[in-house]
Amino acid sequence: MNPKIKLLKLTKLQQDIIIGTLLGNSTMQILDIYKEIKVILNIWQDIENLEYLKFLFLAMKEFSPFNSIKDFYDIDKDWSQIQEKSKFKYSNGFYTYPLEIFVYHFELFYKWDNELNNYKKIIPENICDLINPQRLAFWIMDTGIVKDNGLIIC
């Protein structure tokens, strides 16, 4: 990893992307690397949203080890359907280097769950303070569905 990456600061656009997409489908992984807590941001989209994903990647590219987005194939978890229909889900995405700069966002969106013995993604209690029009737009682009002349945000 390039040492200059540690010196990077998040722009307002990058902050908005992180919060907006974490309200949607994006995920984070926390790592303890040599007693330093670091976090990886994972962003992926279905193939239908490839142009949107390209925009997200270009905005976050300096934090990613990739030069372009990557293809992912997720096998449907119902193995009986796979044997019958050979069902695969195709998506594209990218992830970031493990960085301390993402710890703040991890602490906002993840809480320890004793029953799961793992972190669980949550909607932050201070969501009203976090949301702005651009973050809302990223959330809608990430998981919004237009239905019956209305909008559903998942």
Side-chain angles (χ1 to χ4, degrees), residues 23-124:
L23 287 165
N25 289 333
S26 294
T27 61
M28 295 185 124
Q29 295 168 264
I30 191 164
L31 306 171
D32 187 347
I33 303 173
Y34 305 111
K35 305 217 185 267
E36 289 184 26
I37 302 300
K38 299 189 179 187
V39 173
I40 296 172
L41 173 66
N42 303 290
I43 296 179
W44 67 92
Q45 290 288 317
D46 290 338
I47 190 69
E48 296 84 22
N49 297 332
L50 188 56
E51 291 303 314
Y52 169 59
L53 181 64
K54 287 178 184 177
F55 170 82
L56 297 176
F57 177 74
L58 288 174
M60 300 297 294
K61 185 178 178 178
E62 61 198 314
F63 297 103
S64 179
F66 302 120
N67 292 326
S68 63
I69 57 177
K70 298 296 174 193
D71 298 335
F72 296 100
Y73 294 92
D74 296 326
I75 299 173
D76 190 308
K77 294 189 192 239
D78 185 346
W79 291 103
S80 62
Q81 286 184 354
I82 292 169
Q83 291 169 352
E84 292 173 18
K85 300 178 184 176
S86 297
K87 206 172 183 185
F88 290 89
K89 184 178 180 182
Y90 179 70
S91 62
N92 296 94
F94 64 94
Y95 56 85
T96 65
Y97 290 109
L99 297 169
E100 291 175 37
I101 199 166
F102 300 125
V103 170
Y104 165 78
H105 300 94
F106 184 87
E107 290 173 346
L108 273 176
F109 283 90
Y110 287 84
K111 297 293 178 218
W112 182 259
D113 186 313
N114 287 326
E115 289 181 25
L116 295 174
N117 198 30
N118 205 345
Y119 286 96
K120 182 177 180 179
K121 190 174 171 187
I122 62 159
I123 294 179

